[in-house]
């Protein structure tokens, strides 16, 4: 059968079966309760519930096993929550079949109202979960309970205490309790460690799933396969051949109503310390002993621990004009909405190779990509330096793709060189495949108990160690962002830094994603 004929369901289950076998993960069945805390918040509505719906739709959550609980402070009914969620699950022009699916899914959701630090709400929640387990004839303590904290980190410790005191399942009877937490996990090394210690006193590391949704993106997950299942990259992936690596995140909108949240954190805590750094780990790490989550995460930690302190002259910060017009942002905010910086990994493979991390809001385009630039060819008989260098680009979004920029002979009578590319554009190559949302995969992984794509405590600590000194200096106003125009490339100084770090731009070359 050609790959085009594969349905999404088939592809997903193929992937899970093959990896599960390798990892020794058993597909469990039986009663499953998913509890979304912070059920009426933005994250829950926009990401968590739609991801649960998609898993349900694809048959990964069976209605005879699963029950979903929304928990929050607002005093609303089950139907109020269902009505609020409906619009996020399916577009306005839903077919009757889709609407029916949505209704069936919504019937699986119950709402419990309570505060995040009082026993009564969690006792009520436990009662609801137990009733569901009882109705599914699950023996006490043997079922699965997944708590998704779509909440600000300030309430994590009290919520975890409540779960531990009132809602735990008994692992010695075969059941489990797992906790999913979202970023921002702390503001700096000290606060993150404090949070980790508080939660660590209540739950063991295998029960804690720290989400970084970039680890659920298709092309981020592909990095491991690309690097370690292809002989081609083996001799090339090091400082002998690679001149520099860029990991770039750009958004063409500003803080968009999230000014209050964003100003507390800024672009480094929001994007670079987590999303881009996780990608860097996968680009730079050594081959793990196996695909076991601990083996992979061991290698990622080594990369983080090898990062040298970031030099002042290798950091450019920016803030877009008009950022402080947002009424929720203080007038004299020093928070960067843009940053470019060079990270240097002090090890045998990467000595001398700048890893340039760049992230910005309110820029001229929206994309996330990894750009690996190779060194010039020694003894260039074609005198084609002006054509630019080889680059391997992995476009995470939009229009997932990977392409290798090559110099080739320009077709025609003359012996001229030109830049072209070997292009694997997913939209074209995998036309029948709908790429799952990051949150879908990560929730499924949590249900299966696969922590490969989640951040371990020591990884988190090492990540904060890299950025905390800089973050403190920004917080104290010792380093100031440069102003830039919304809709621009960001401060011109960032392009100069890129050049200083050795990136050679190919002028006049633009990769155009193929149209179908
Ligand atoms: C979130 C950040 O983690 O990632 C947001 O808090 C950002 O500021 C978002 O917009 C980007 O995610 P994605 O998947 O759209 O690249």
């Amino acid at each position: 059968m050609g790959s085009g004929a594969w349905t999404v369901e088939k592809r997903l289950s193929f992937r899970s079966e093959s990896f599960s076998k390798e990892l020794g993960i058993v597909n469990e069945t039986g009663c499953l309760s998913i509890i979304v805390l912070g059920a009426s918040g933005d994250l829950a509505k926009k990401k968590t519930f739609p991801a649960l719906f998609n898993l349900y739709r694809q048959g990964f959550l069976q209605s005879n096993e699963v029950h979903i609980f929304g928990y929050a402070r607002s005093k609303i009914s089950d139907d109020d929550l269902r009505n609020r969620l409906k619009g996020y699950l399916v577009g306005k022009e839903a077919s009757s079949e889709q609407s029916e699916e949505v209704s069936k899914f919504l019937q699986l959701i119950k709402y419990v109202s309570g505060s995040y630090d009082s026993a009564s709400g969690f006792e009520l929640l436990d009662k609801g979960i137990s009733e569901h387990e009882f109705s599914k004839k699950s023996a006490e303590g043997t079922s699965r309970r997944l708590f998704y904290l779509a909440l600000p980190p300030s309430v994590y410790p009290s919520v975890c205490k409540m779960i531990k005191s009132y809602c735990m399942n008994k692992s010695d009877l075969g059941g489990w309790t797992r906790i999913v937490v979202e970023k921002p996990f702390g503001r700096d090394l000290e606060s993150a460690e404090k949070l980790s210690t508080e939660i660590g006193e209540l739950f063991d590391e295998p029960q804690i799933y720290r989400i970084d949704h970039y680890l659920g993106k298709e092309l981020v997950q592909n990095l491991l396969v690309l690097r370690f299942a292809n002989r081609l990259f083996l001799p090339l992936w090091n400082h002998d051949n690679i001149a520099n690596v860029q990991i770039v995140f750009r958004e063409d909108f500003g803080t968009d109503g999230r000014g209050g949240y964003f100003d507390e954190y800024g672009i480094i805590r929001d994007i670079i310390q987590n999303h881009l750094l996780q990608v860097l780990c996968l680009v730079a790490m050594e081959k793990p002993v196996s695909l076991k989550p601990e083996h992979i995460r061991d290698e990622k930690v080594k990369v983080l621990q090898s990062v040298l302190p970031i030099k002042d002259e290798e950091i450019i910060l920016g803030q877009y004009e008009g950022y402080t017009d947002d009424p929720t942002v203080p007038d004299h905010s020093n928070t960067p909405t843009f940053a470019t910086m060079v990270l240097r990994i002090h090890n045998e493979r990467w000595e001398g190779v700048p890893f340039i991390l760049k992230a910005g809001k309110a820029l001229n385009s929206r994309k996330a990509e990894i750009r690996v630039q190779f060194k010039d060819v020694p003894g260039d008989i074609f005198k084609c330096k002006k054509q630019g260098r080889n680059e391997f680009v992995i476009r995470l979004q939009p229009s997932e793709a990977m392409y290798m920029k090559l110099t080739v002979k320009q077709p025609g009578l003359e012996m001229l060189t030109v830049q072209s590319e070997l292009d694997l554009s997913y939209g074209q190559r995998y036309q029948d495949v709908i790429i799952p949302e990051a949150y879908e995969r990560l929730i499924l992984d949590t249900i299966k108990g696969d922590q490969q794509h989640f951040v371990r405590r020591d990884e988190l600590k090492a990540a904060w160690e890299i950025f905390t000194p800089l973050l403190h200096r920004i917080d104290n106003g010792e380093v100031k962002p440069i102003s830039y125009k919304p809709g621009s490339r960001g401060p011109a100084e960032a392009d100069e830094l890129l050049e200083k770090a050795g990136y050679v731009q190919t002028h006049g070359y633009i990769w155009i994603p193929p149209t179908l």
Side-chain angles (χ1 to χ4, degrees):
M1 191 192 295
S3 65
W6 281 51
T7 60
V8 188
E9 285 83 342
K10 270 189 189 156
R11 281 189 169 274
L12 268 172
S13 60
F14 170 72
R15 166 185 167 272
S16 9
E17 272 163 29
S18 54
F19 282 121
S20 302
K21 217 182 265 173
E22 166 82 28
L23 302 176
I25 291 169
V26 209
N27 272 333
E28 296 163 313
T29 51
C31 194
L32 169 68
S33 304
I34 300 176
I35 304 100
V36 182
L37 298 125
S40 48
D42 239 32
L43 176 74
K45 282 188 299 205
K46 291 185 181 155
K47 298 288 181 190
T48 321
F49 282 109
L52 290 172
F53 173 60
N54 279 335
L55 289 175
Y56 167 78
R57 213 172 45 78
Q58 294 169 75
F60 289 106
L61 301 178
Q62 303 284 343
S63 34
N64 59 349
E65 290 182 353
V66 75
H67 211 89
I68 300 168
F69 293 85
Y71 184 95
R73 280 180 302 211
S74 349
K75 301 224 171 330
I76 55 169
S77 66
D78 292 348
D79 280 338
D80 290 338
L81 177 67
R82 291 171 186 152
N83 288 334
R84 284 187 194 184
L85 296 177
K86 207 184 272 174
Y88 292 93
L89 305 181
V90 75
K92 284 200 182 84
E93 289 170 13
S95 64
S96 60
E97 198 189 332
Q98 285 169 326
S99 305
E100 201 180 314
E101 260 186 329
V102 169
S103 305
K104 280 191 192 153
F105 171 74
L106 289 173
Q107 286 314 308
L108 297 175
I109 303 177
K110 262 193 169 330
Y111 180 75
V112 178
S113 155
S115 76
Y116 294 120
D117 56 4
S118 75
S120 56
F122 284 85
E123 283 172 336
L124 208 60
L125 181 61
D126 184 61
K127 192 163 161 270
I129 304 172
S130 300
E131 275 168 11
H132 155 64
E133 291 171 347
F134 186 70
S135 73
K136 295 287 182 295
K137 303 198 175 26
S138 179
E140 199 190 337
T142 62
S143 56
R144 303 170 283 162
R145 295 184 175 188
L146 190 166
F147 291 86
Y148 192 110
L149 275 57
L151 290 168
S154 51
V155 295
Y156 288 174
S158 69
V159 167
C160 286
K161 239 179 249 162
M162 292 295 131
I163 296 173
K164 175 84 178 184
S165 307
Y166 301 103
C167 304
M168 283 290 280
N169 228 332
K170 299 185 178 56
S171 57
D172 50 344
L173 295 179
W176 53 247
T177 304
R178 292 179 187 149
I179 310 288
V180 179
V181 289
E182 275 282 346
K183 71 164 239 289
F185 202 83
R187 285 184 48 78
D188 58 8
L189 178 60
E190 200 190 337
S191 54
E193 272 294 283
K194 182 166 176 280
L195 205 51
S196 290
T197 306
E198 285 170 337
I199 299 181
E201 280 165 3
L202 300 165
F203 296 103
D204 297 332
E205 188 63 26
Q207 293 179 291
I208 305 168
Y209 288 71
R210 295 180 196 85
I211 277 204
D212 182 315
H213 80 280
Y214 266 57
L215 291 177
K217 289 192 186 277
E218 181 66 38
L219 269 81
V220 175
Q221 298 209 338
N222 202 349
L223 281 169
L224 214 61
V225 181
L226 258 183
R227 287 201 46 211
F228 301 119
N230 291 293
R231 179 79 195 211
L232 181 70
F233 293 114
L234 197 68
L236 294 180
W237 215 254
N238 54 43
H239 66 113
D240 285 337
N241 301 290
I242 292 177
N244 54 70
V245 178
Q246 282 184 67
I247 303 171
V248 180
F249 167 95
R250 308 165 69 89
E251 263 178 356
D252 55 3
F253 51 89
T255 48
D256 239 16
R258 292 167 76 229
Y261 154 81
F262 188 86
D263 198 69
E264 275 280 294
Y265 293 94
I267 199 79
I268 300 174
R269 292 183 176 98
D270 191 43
I271 303 289
I272 298 183
Q273 181 268 350
N274 32 70
H275 303 331
L276 299 196
L277 199 62
Q278 283 295 321
V279 172
L280 176 142
C281 286
L282 294 167
V283 171
M285 70 187 227
E286 297 301 313
K287 188 185 229 166
V289 175
S290 78
L291 289 178
K292 292 208 170 83
E294 298 323 325
H295 287 156
I296 293 171
R297 299 192 296 179
D298 287 347
E299 293 308 330
K300 286 166 70 192
V301 174
K302 285 188 209 159
V303 174
L304 295 172
Q305 290 173 338
S306 310
V307 173
L308 296 174
I310 311 168
K311 291 190 199 135
D312 281 0
E313 61 276 23
E314 296 198 318
I315 303 167
I316 300 291
L317 305 178
Q319 186 186 80
Y320 65 84
E321 284 169 18
Y323 167 69
T324 53
D325 294 348
D326 180 331
T328 57
V329 172
D331 289 347
H332 302 290
S333 168
N334 196 44
T335 302
T337 59
F338 174 99
T340 295
M341 60 186 75
V342 181
L343 263 57
R344 298 189 180 265
I345 302 171
H346 181 58
N347 68 14
E348 209 173 3
R349 184 184 289 272
W350 295 116
E351 191 72 53
V353 180
F355 280 74
I356 304 152
L357 304 189
K358 181 169 168 178
K361 299 234 170 215
L363 298 177
N364 58 351
S365 63
R366 174 183 173 254
K367 72 174 176 188
E369 69 181 22
I370 306 162
R371 186 172 291 267
V372 179
Q373 184 171 76
F374 289 86
K375 292 186 172 174
D376 291 323
V377 175
D380 172 26
I381 54 171
F382 299 101
K383 308 275 179 275
C384 67
K385 258 191 199 154
K386 65 179 186 322
Q387 298 290 1
R389 293 173 162 179
N390 288 142
E391 280 180 10
F392 181 49
V393 183
I394 301 169
R395 168 75 67 100
L396 309 180
Q397 65 192 36
S399 313
E400 288 91 345
M402 54 182 93
Y403 57 94
M404 176 70 91
K405 277 168 61 177
L406 301 173
T407 301
V408 297
K409 179 187 166 300
Q410 183 163 334
L413 285 176
E414 282 186 275
M415 190 60 173
L416 295 173
T417 59
V418 70
Q419 279 268 301
S420 192
E421 67 283 317
L422 294 176
D423 184 351
L424 171 58
S425 283
Y426 276 43
Q428 193 187 43
R429 178 67 179 82
Y430 302 115
Q431 293 187 15
D432 295 333
V433 178
I434 299 166
I435 295 180
E437 267 284 316
Y439 279 93
E440 285 170 45
R441 296 183 208 265
L442 296 175
I443 293 175
L444 195 58
D445 284 347
T446 312
I447 297 170
K448 288 194 186 140
D450 179 357
Q451 289 190 306
Q452 178 182 158
H453 305 295
F454 294 82
V455 182
R456 203 168 64 186
R457 179 174 174 171
D458 52 351
E459 260 183 272
L460 184 76
K461 178 168 183 270
W464 279 117
E465 271 164 355
I466 297 172
F467 293 104
T468 295
L470 170 64
L471 288 167
H472 283 172
R473 292 177 56 217
I474 300 171
D475 294 345
N476 296 336
E478 291 163 35
V479 193
K480 301 258 178 230
I482 303 167
S483 167
Y484 64 93
K485 291 229 168 323
S488 68
R489 282 180 56 81
E493 288 83 345
D495 284 337
E496 288 161 20
L497 175 61
L498 212 66
E499 214 178 303
K500 257 190 247 157
Y503 177 69
V504 179
Q505 207 183 337
T506 319
H507 292 285
Y509 171 90
I510 302 173
W511 174 73
I512 301 164
T515 45
L516 294 180

